[in-house]
Amino acid sequence: MKQRAHAWVALRALKLVDDSGRAPKLVELLSYYLSDVWEGAWLPDTLIVDMRYGHTYKMDSDPAMLGFDVTKEDWLRTPYKQLKSRLKGKRLCLKYIKDEEELNAPYKSHPEKGGHLPNRVIALSQTTGDMLKMADFPIAFYTKEKRASSYKKTLTKQKVKDLSLSPNFSARQIALAFFMLSHYICDAHMPLHCDLRDYGGKRDKLRRLPKTLHPSIEEEWEKHFPEKETLTLHDQTKQSVDEIIKTLPEDSIIQTESSSEYALDGKLPIITQDEWLEMVHVARVSYALSRKWIPSPYNDVKELMEDRGEDEFQKVTNCIFHDAVQSVAAIWYKCWYRFIT
């Protein structure tokens, strides 16, 4: 996914958290730093630059590709029913791959070249929660119902050294961490980030899909999101976040705001597993989606749409971005809930 898509997903996730009513203080915190969404949600590509290993979790069921006989490892089977029991909420990508046979075969990420995207998400989520706990005053306390005894008195009567127990991280730094986290979660929903067929250079024996296919799909997606000028928020921005996420190109295929089939209904899934397991299961769904949606080595998105149909491209695209927004919002909330409880 490219910059416009990442920024839009982060803003749409913020609206979903707001619509859910579960974390108004988190919405308040992030809303102060909306001007950082455009760059913040793109930092893993521009500053961290860990694309090959940090943004992928490429899987396969072929022993020749994985380097061992995966067919004998029944515990690596993760069929539809198991995925459905682990992934809460309205998962459109999961519904799409319900009958995909690849789910009934043992499959896993490549031990060396698959990437460690789930590790990246849980590490960043936990770190963001730690940053909240070590934040400048008053973030460390303003969400707590029970405050430290030293804060029960009038603040102006306190000694300066007592006003903040650990003045380390600013609100802006924490907001940027949330926006960065959204990038990795989004990338798990790009099917080819989770498919080992899309790996390596032209001469790499693991590559079974043309190198041009992946970027061409993302370039096509990018056309359907608001322009940079709309997503780069600043003091002179007259539109609300609600309005910005609906300011799509006239021919946009994104229908999360206009179709009941792809609507984000304001319900925030409560994740019952840790972020690592959550992302592993999301990646498994993406892997199966890739195998179902891209059964042949198309050279680019044009060939994909010609063979699979433009309607199918639109359907899969909406499923992917619906689920990406939902996942970002749900993991943001999990991180925040860990802090306030």
Side-chain angles (χ1 to χ4, degrees):
M1 300 180 187
K2 293 187 176 295
Q3 197 163 8
R4 285 161 62 175
H6 275 291
W8 183 88
V9 168
L11 289 174
R12 189 60 185 83
L14 178 62
K15 174 174 167 51
L16 181 55
V17 176
D18 191 24
D19 290 346
S20 75
R22 288 184 173 274
K25 290 293 186 181
L26 172 58
V27 175
E28 181 183 8
L29 168 63
L30 297 181
S31 294
Y32 280 114
Y33 301 98
L34 292 178
S35 60
D36 288 316
V37 168
W38 177 257
E39 297 294 346
W42 196 238
L43 282 175
D45 272 17
T46 57
L47 183 62
I48 309 303
V49 194
D50 59 344
M51 285 80 85
R52 179 170 286 270
Y53 57 92
H55 304 217
T56 65
Y57 197 64
K58 294 181 181 289
M59 289 176 275
D60 214 307
S61 59
D62 187 343
M65 296 297 106
L66 292 171
F68 72 100
D69 191 359
V70 68
T71 61
K72 297 180 180 180
E73 306 292 337
D74 282 345
W75 66 279
L76 290 175
R77 299 178 192 272
T78 313
Y80 169 78
K81 287 185 178 180
Q82 186 173 338
L83 289 171
K84 186 171 177 57
S85 69
R86 291 298 188 96
L87 294 169
K88 308 302 180 183
K90 180 182 173 184
R91 308 279 179 150
L92 299 183
C93 292
L94 179 60
K95 182 179 179 181
Y96 178 82
I97 53 93
K98 181 176 182 179
D99 300 320
E100 173 54 39
E101 285 299 318
E102 190 71 10
L103 288 175
N104 298 317
Y107 59 95
K108 72 180 298 294
S109 66
H110 191 282
E112 298 174 357
K113 301 178 180 180
H116 56 236
L117 192 158
N119 296 355
R120 203 71 178 91
V121 170
I122 193 171
L124 191 51
S125 178
Q126 293 277 359
T127 299
T128 304
D130 294 343
M131 290 169 70
L132 282 162
K133 293 178 181 179
M134 295 186 289
D136 284 337
F137 175 83
I139 295 175
F141 301 100
Y142 88 136
T143 61
K144 302 284 187 179
E145 292 184 6
K146 295 181 180 180
R147 298 190 176 191
S149 58
S150 61
Y151 278 78
K152 292 182 178 179
K153 300 177 183 178
T154 304
L155 286 173
T156 55
K157 295 182 180 180
Q158 301 302 306
K159 295 178 181 179
V160 173
K161 68 181 181 69
D162 293 331
L163 285 178
S164 181
L165 300 184
S166 51
N168 295 320
F169 294 102
S170 70
R172 184 183 180 221
Q173 289 172 316
I174 294 168
L176 281 170
F178 274 105
F179 298 148
M180 286 175 57
L181 179 56
S182 74
H183 184 110
Y184 294 98
I185 299 168
C186 277
D187 275 1
H189 290 80
M190 201 298 168
L192 295 179
H193 278 261
C194 302
D195 191 341
L196 192 62
R197 293 181 301 165
D198 183 56
Y199 180 89
K202 292 181 179 179
R203 297 180 181 178
D204 195 303
K205 68 176 183 179
L206 295 182
R207 176 163 288 286
R208 286 158 286 162
L209 293 177
K211 193 174 183 179
T212 50
L213 176 61
H214 186 154
S216 73
I217 292 173
E218 295 183 331
E219 287 166 8
E220 179 62 30
W221 282 344
E222 194 75 346
K223 300 174 185 177
H224 299 280
F225 290 99
E227 297 284 351
K228 176 182 178 180
E229 291 74 14
T230 301
L231 294 167
T232 309
L233 285 73
H234 47 75
D235 289 343
Q236 304 304 314
T237 301
K238 296 181 179 180
Q239 291 181 303
S240 66
V241 171
D242 282 10
E243 293 168 327
I244 287 168
I245 60 175
K246 296 176 183 177
T247 309
L248 300 165
E250 288 186 8
D251 58 349
S252 176
I253 63 174
I254 302 300
Q255 297 181 314
T256 52
E257 312 308 308
S258 59
S259 168
S260 59
E261 184 178 359
Y262 306 117
L264 288 149
D265 53 15
K267 295 179 181 178
L268 199 62
I270 304 304
I271 296 173
T272 55
Q273 56 192 343
D274 67 35
E275 294 93 328
W276 187 86
L277 278 173
E278 178 74 9
M279 296 315 298
V280 167
H281 287 100
V282 165
R284 284 170 172 159
V285 172
S286 284
Y287 162 70
L289 191 154
S290 179
R291 295 304 173 104
K292 178 176 181 177
W293 183 38
I294 309 173
S296 301
Y298 306 109
N299 283 309
D300 54 31
V301 69
K302 182 179 179 180
E303 284 190 8
L304 172 63
M305 287 194 283
E306 286 175 351
D307 185 58
R308 302 291 289 157
E310 292 186 14
D311 288 345
E312 188 75 356
F313 182 83
Q314 178 171 318
K315 177 180 180 179
V316 171
T317 296
N318 277 284
C319 289
I320 287 170
F321 282 97
H322 170 282
D323 288 11
V325 169
Q326 183 177 249
S327 290
V328 170
I331 291 180
W332 277 0
Y333 177 70
K334 185 175 183 68
C335 175
W336 181 259
Y337 185 77
R338 186 186 293 119
F339 163 60
I340 63 174
T341 55

